[in-house]
Amino acid sequence: MIQKFRLQFIIISIASLALVLFTTVGLMIGADFSRAHGEVSRVMNILVRNNGQLTPHDSHEFEQSQTPFNALINNQSNPDSIYQYRYFSVAVDKNNKLKILNWQNSKVYGVSQEKILKVAQHALNKRQIKGITILAGNTYSYEVITHANSKKMVVFLNTSLIYDRSWNLFRLASLLTLGALLFFAIILVILSRRAIQPVVRAYQKQQQFITNAGHELKTPLAIISANTEMEEMMGNESEWTKSTKQQTMRLTELINRLISMARLGETGDLALSKVNLSEVVEEVAKSFSSVMKNDAKTYQVAVQSGLYVMAEKQSLIEVINILLDNAHKYCTEKGTVKVKLHKGRFSQTAVLRVSNSFKDNKNINYETFFDRFYREDESHNNKKSGYGIGLAMARDIVHAFNGKISVTYKDEMIHFDIILKLVK
């Protein structure tokens, strides 16, 4: 129990930090990519207005064309920053031939003039005035300009160099984030035991109190029961002595279950061994047949033989007893109780289903049945015996078997399902 709580504490803490880090880093990276995209747009706009040229004089236009957000995160433009961009232009001359402008200042590494002219011609042949092309492994944005004399020019801008800074930031931020999470996880695993120590002490004191109080209460209950029996032996038997014996038995049952739950919480794990689930279900189901018959309930049992699971036999018997006792108590008058054990899908699990008729469905959240001390009718006049801890105890035991337990409502029947892994 404590180990599960510790593991949940570690997982929730790491998940919370991961959410904060990924959100913060994601916003930062998103903002940087937005900055890069805006920078590409601004540089391309200036190139188009200046016929494919950039000069230090054009740097002031960057500040004028920035959005308020980009202006907030960017420094003032430096005239020398113009020289960081790689671009070139291809114009159509009077003879309708293509000519590369300023070739000496705009050479593209690993790409010949013929390749550039071919790419420019391809861009001119397209109907779109804007597009993207790849040259020597770099991405270039281009835009076709049409002058007043109907002559055209294509402006190319290397965007890979601009976006590379954002991608470098993305890689660095990702590595730092993962490193921080790993470092935090290691520290948390080391210190988690100390962090949850107050909760562990409180839980242990609670379990110890339940165990001690249960044992202390057993003695006066035994005396009350013995005195009541003596009164009956002396000829003083009455409805009051019968009521006293019934209430004494109920209190004894409650104390025993509370102690069992406390012990299960203290030990955490049960000593599991191979158990014939089919025989256990048949044995427990048979013990309830007379009770069901006396209450005029239809009792149906179908058990597939030869199903073995890893469990602790006495605890497994207790779980089945709890489910059948619950089905008997809450089954409608002259209703039906069904017990079915069979192999699950793919024959990897054993599925035990205990069902009972229950027509009074008032939009109940059936999952709350497994809460400790839950009662369907919270008034003190509930005629059904029980304390709301049986199903909670069954859930804890099934989880100790590494199994699953669930409840569903269908066709005016409540179905409790236990799923355990089969063993050979």
Side-chain angles (χ1 to χ4, degrees):
M1 181 72 178
I2 300 301
Q3 291 301 323
K4 289 182 179 179
F5 177 75
R6 181 186 176 195
L7 180 62
Q8 289 177 351
F9 172 76
I10 293 173
I11 292 174
I12 292 174
S13 299
I14 294 176
S16 300
L17 178 63
L19 179 62
V20 173
L21 285 177
F22 283 124
T23 301
T24 304
V25 172
L27 289 174
M28 180 180 66
I29 293 174
D32 195 67
F33 272 98
S34 175
R35 174 204 58 76
H37 181 71
E39 184 176 348
V40 169
S41 298
R42 292 193 300 274
V43 174
M44 182 61 77
N45 289 336
I46 295 173
L47 285 171
V48 170
R49 287 199 302 269
N50 293 345
N51 294 320
Q53 297 292 328
L54 281 180
T55 64
H57 178 71
D58 299 318
S59 63
H60 73 280
E61 295 189 36
F62 283 91
E63 295 182 8
Q64 295 176 1
S65 59
Q66 286 189 114
T67 64
F69 177 76
N70 286 324
L72 180 65
I73 62 176
N74 290 331
N75 294 324
Q76 291 184 350
S77 297
N78 186 332
D80 285 339
S81 65
I82 291 296
Y83 299 110
Q84 68 180 304
Y85 302 112
R86 299 293 295 171
Y87 60 92
F88 62 89
S89 303
V90 178
V92 181
D93 61 15
K94 296 179 180 179
N95 299 321
N96 289 325
K97 291 185 178 181
L98 300 182
K99 180 182 179 181
I100 302 175
L101 304 181
N102 297 325
W103 169 247
Q104 295 300 324
N105 297 327
S106 55
K107 286 184 178 180
V108 180
Y109 175 77
V111 180
S112 64
Q113 294 189 48
E114 290 75 14
K115 176 65 175 176
I116 291 177
L117 293 174
K118 184 178 179 180
V119 170
Q121 186 63 58
H122 181 72
L124 289 168
N125 292 336
K126 282 189 172 183
R127 294 182 179 181
Q128 299 176 346
I129 63 172
K130 293 183 179 180
I132 295 174
T133 188
I134 305 297
L135 287 172
N138 287 299
T139 302
Y140 281 79
S141 290
Y142 67 84
E143 184 169 344
V144 179
I145 308 170
T146 303
H147 296 293
N149 57 4
S150 299
K151 293 298 182 182
K152 292 184 177 181
M153 173 187 292
V154 187
V155 178
F156 292 85
L157 173 66
N158 188 329
T159 59
S160 293
L161 297 176
I162 299 175
Y163 282 109
D164 275 350
R165 287 170 286 179
S166 297
W167 283 113
N168 288 336
L169 176 63
F170 171 76
R171 286 187 284 268
L172 177 62
S174 299
L175 288 174
L176 290 177
T177 300
L178 294 176
L181 279 176
L182 180 61
F183 177 76
F184 178 77
I186 295 173
I187 297 299
L188 190 61
V189 169
I190 296 173
L191 300 180
S192 60
R193 190 182 300 275
R194 181 177 297 180
I196 66 171
Q197 198 61 38
V199 179
V200 173
R201 284 197 294 266
Y203 179 79
Q204 290 174 341
K205 288 180 180 179
Q206 180 191 49
Q207 301 300 92
Q208 186 178 6
F209 171 78
I210 293 174
T211 303
N212 294 340
H215 287 299
E216 291 295 328
L217 287 171
K218 279 187 174 182
T219 301
L221 282 175
I223 295 174
I224 293 172
S225 179
N227 290 344
T228 304
E229 291 179 358
M230 185 62 67
E231 286 286 332
E232 290 181 341
M233 292 174 62
M234 294 173 63
N236 296 326
E237 183 177 356
S238 65
E239 61 176 309
W240 310 114
T241 58
K242 291 182 179 179
S243 177
T244 300
K245 288 176 65 177
Q246 289 176 353
Q247 297 305 318
T248 302
M249 291 176 62
R250 292 184 65 195
L251 281 174
T252 302
E253 180 186 357
L254 170 63
I255 291 169
N256 288 335
R257 287 194 172 180
L258 284 172
I259 292 175
S260 298
M261 290 184 70
R263 286 176 177 171
L264 181 62
E266 289 173 358
T267 57
D269 297 324
L270 296 171
L272 307 184
S273 60
K274 186 177 178 180
V275 177
N276 190 329
L277 179 60
S278 300
E279 290 183 357
V280 172
V281 173
E282 285 181 345
E283 179 183 345
V284 177
K286 186 177 180 180
S287 67
F288 276 83
S289 58
S290 59
V291 177
M292 301 293 181
K293 185 176 181 180
N294 290 338
D295 288 347
K297 290 181 172 61
T298 302
Y299 190 41
Q300 301 174 0
V301 179
V303 177
Q304 184 175 346
S305 61
L307 302 185
Y308 290 84
V309 297
M310 293 299 294
E312 197 278 317
K313 188 172 182 179
Q314 293 303 318
S315 299
L316 183 60
I317 291 173
E318 181 66 19
V319 169
I320 302 171
N321 270 313
I322 289 171
L323 293 183
L324 281 171
D325 182 58
N326 184 79
H328 170 251
K329 287 176 181 177
Y330 293 97
C331 182
T332 53
E333 187 176 355
K334 296 182 179 180
T336 301
V337 175
K338 296 181 180 180
V339 179
K340 184 178 181 181
L341 176 66
H342 61 94
K343 287 184 179 180
R345 187 178 297 179
F346 307 119
S347 299
Q348 298 296 314
T349 58
V351 180
L352 172 63
R353 167 167 284 193
V354 178
S355 311
N356 64 273
S357 303
F358 188 74
K359 296 181 180 180
D360 191 17
N361 177 24
K362 302 176 182 178
N363 297 321
I364 299 170
N365 181 7
Y366 292 97
E367 290 298 327
T368 57
F369 283 12
F370 296 110
D371 295 342
R372 294 186 182 185
F373 304 107
Y374 171 81
R375 296 296 298 274
E376 176 197 345
D377 182 0
E378 296 183 358
S379 69
H380 294 287
N381 297 322
N382 193 329
K383 297 180 181 180
K384 302 290 185 183
S385 60
Y387 306 93
I389 63 172
L391 292 176
M393 182 177 176
R395 177 199 57 192
D396 292 345
I397 294 174
V398 171
H399 287 174
F401 295 162
N402 298 315
K404 297 179 181 179
I405 184 169
S406 60
V407 57
T408 55
Y409 182 84
K410 185 178 181 181
D411 299 330
E412 297 185 345
M413 297 277 289
I414 294 181
H415 307 282
F416 286 90
D417 293 324
I418 293 177
I419 301 177
L420 298 172
K421 189 175 181 180
L422 287 171
V423 294
K424 296 182 180 179

